[in-house]
Amino acid sequence: LAWFERLVSEHPSEEGWKVFVFTHAPPIGSGLRVLQENHVVNGCCWLNHSGGKNGDPRTTTKFIELVRRHRCIKAWFSGHFHLGQDYQDSITFPTIPREEGPYPNRGSCVFAQTSVMRAGTSRDTRQQSRLLRGNKDGFEICTVNHAAGGTVRLDATITYTDSNHEVGVYAHDHAELDHDSFMKVYSPSEGDECYVGYDGDGDGVSIDPTDGCQVDEETVAWWHMSDGRVLGVYDGRLIEYEPSTLAPLGLVVGYDELQGKKVVVVGSGVPDECVASTASVSQAVGMEGADCAEFEGEEQAVLLVDEETGGITVVQPNEDGSYWRKIVRNKMVRMKEKRRVQAGRAYAEAAFDGSPDAFEGRVVSSWGPYTSIVGTAVKTGVAGLTTQAENVAKAEQRWQSLGSEEQGRAWAATGSQLADAFNKVDADGNGSISHAELAAAIKVVDPASTAEEVATMVAVADEDEDGEVTLSEFVMLMLYQRGPALAK
């Protein structure tokens, strides 16, 4: 990054320099078509998507800032997304007609998506490459179609108007995008119909982005938070977008946790002068989204509301204020981890009689703070918290396995036996059973129970959540093999 910044600084457009860039992934803000369910949710969509080596989010937008600042950068080609070149947004121009939307501020650079030559690595069956042809007036971007014998199609003509500007023109229409065989995507843009603003008559911090409806795969909405962050619902997911480019940053809540719930934003702190309803939006070149950079803004809480169960999940931001979840490690990091596991297995095979067949154990990894070792982030639910209902159901099954209906009827007939059983568990005789005492009793009766299962079973038993299980709670539990709250 430092080398690139130095290079473009030393080759200004005013001296006639024209820089063409070729990278595997594009920079954020390029405006190219991207599938959110793939690279976006994994934090490996853009150059330095996860903040580079030091995890600094400022390096994610550094490349597009350099493009805006240095007009010598004329074209940028990338191929990371494995999508074809027939989409209009497989090429994006520095400027667009004002009637089509706001100025995107991509400097003097044309961004071009490059497809793949082999069918097995294509996401949309297309096998294409780019051909770049220069001339005295500018350059042409073409498509080479490998599935059709290498035929060449002109896609766009770019003409230099002066050292700091260029004009691009598409060479053909894109009516074929109406076909179902094309990947459909949505990215927010200023002024589109999916934007949800704050009610001028409201408190300026509360908003109902899903309009009182439960989220499904058809829900599309996006909005600004008071601190300038941008969130949106699309394809059954809650996504965070980069404020200055509106490009997707990453997955906040997956469909497993979001489906069937409402999304509500409410105020949660002391009002500040920089709230979403009153903050002006800067149009200064290079300063988009920076209006509230020095302000915390009025605090807000993003809530997932389950009207069926009455449960509410608070979506807490990360320590740096962002919301998107770093669930899956960077692909290059995962490759290194795989090699370490292979080295561990090689050691084990050599240590156990020197034969691979002799080793019957397992080689596992310990890592932290990530929650998944798979290559694609799918779920965001946290066991015991946002997926508590599943754990409670398992706890009920555990309780039912500890006592039959016949045993329950017998205890009901002789209440003294229940009291005796309670007193045996109540080791210190204080009239209530602590979580530790009940957990110990469960382990005696059912040694196969895991620590997590025992903890959930104890939580089911403790109706008032005071940390103690009373005789009445114990009776309800043993008679019905379920927690009092659930019995209601």
Side-chain angles (χ1 to χ4, degrees), residues 351-366:
F352 289 89
D353 299 330
S355 170
D357 297 332
F359 177 62
E360 298 179 354
R362 291 192 306 154
V363 178
V364 298
S365 295
S366 172

Side-chain angles (χ1 to χ4, degrees), residues 329-342:
R329 293 169 306 294
N330 178 277
K331 185 185 298 183
M332 302 304 294
V333 173
R334 296 203 312 271
M335 291 173 61
K336 294 179 181 178
E337 291 177 347
K338 182 179 179 180
R339 290 196 292 269
R340 295 187 187 106
V341 171
Q342 291 171 338

Side-chain angles (χ1 to χ4, degrees), residues 443-463:
K443 289 296 290 184
V444 171
V445 178
D446 186 11
S449 296
T450 66
E452 181 181 1
E453 289 169 340
V454 169
T456 308
M457 293 168 70
V458 171
V460 168
D462 186 7
E463 178 186 20

Side-chain angles (χ1 to χ4, degrees), residues 50 59 86 93 129 151 156 173 211 256 274 294 330 334 367 461:
S50 297
T59 65
D86 298 335
F93 297 137
S129 294
T151 57
D173 59 35
D211 197 23
D256 65 306
C274 190
E294 299 301 321
N330 178 277
R334 296 203 312 271
W367 73 96

Side-chain angles (χ1 to χ4, degrees), residues 98-104 186-195 222 224 230 242-246 281-283 288-289:
R98 290 292 181 182
E99 61 271 16
E100 293 184 13
Y103 181 67
Y186 166 78
S187 292
S189 60
E190 294 289 351
D192 72 16
E193 68 277 8
C194 298
Y195 181 72
W222 67 280
H224 282 89
V230 178
E242 200 282 314
S244 73
T245 62
L246 293 182
V281 179
S282 173
Q283 298 298 324
E288 297 87 348

Side-chain angles (χ1 to χ4, degrees), residues 27 52 65 94 108 142 145 188 193 255 268 301 320 377 391 462:
E65 291 169 359
S108 185
C142 306
N145 190 344
E193 68 277 8
Y255 187 65
S268 63
D320 63 1
N391 284 359
D462 186 7

Side-chain angles (χ1 to χ4, degrees), residues 388 422 431-435 438 456-474 476-477 482-488:
Q388 187 173 13
F422 179 85
S432 62
I433 302 173
S434 69
H435 283 191
L438 185 56
T456 308
M457 293 168 70
V458 171
V460 168
D462 186 7
E463 178 186 20
D464 53 14
E465 299 180 353
D466 63 351
E468 301 282 338
V469 177
T470 64
L471 176 60
S472 63
E473 290 172 332
F474 182 77
M476 182 69 73
L477 185 67
R482 64 191 306 179
L486 293 175
K488 293 177 181 177

Side-chain angles (χ1 to χ4, degrees), residues 33 86-87 126 173-184:
R33 170 171 295 245
D86 298 335
Y87 309 96
R126 281 152 181 79
D173 59 35
H174 298 83
E176 66 269 31
L177 286 178
D178 295 333
H179 296 178
D180 292 336
S181 60
F182 281 73
M183 299 285 191
K184 295 180 174 61

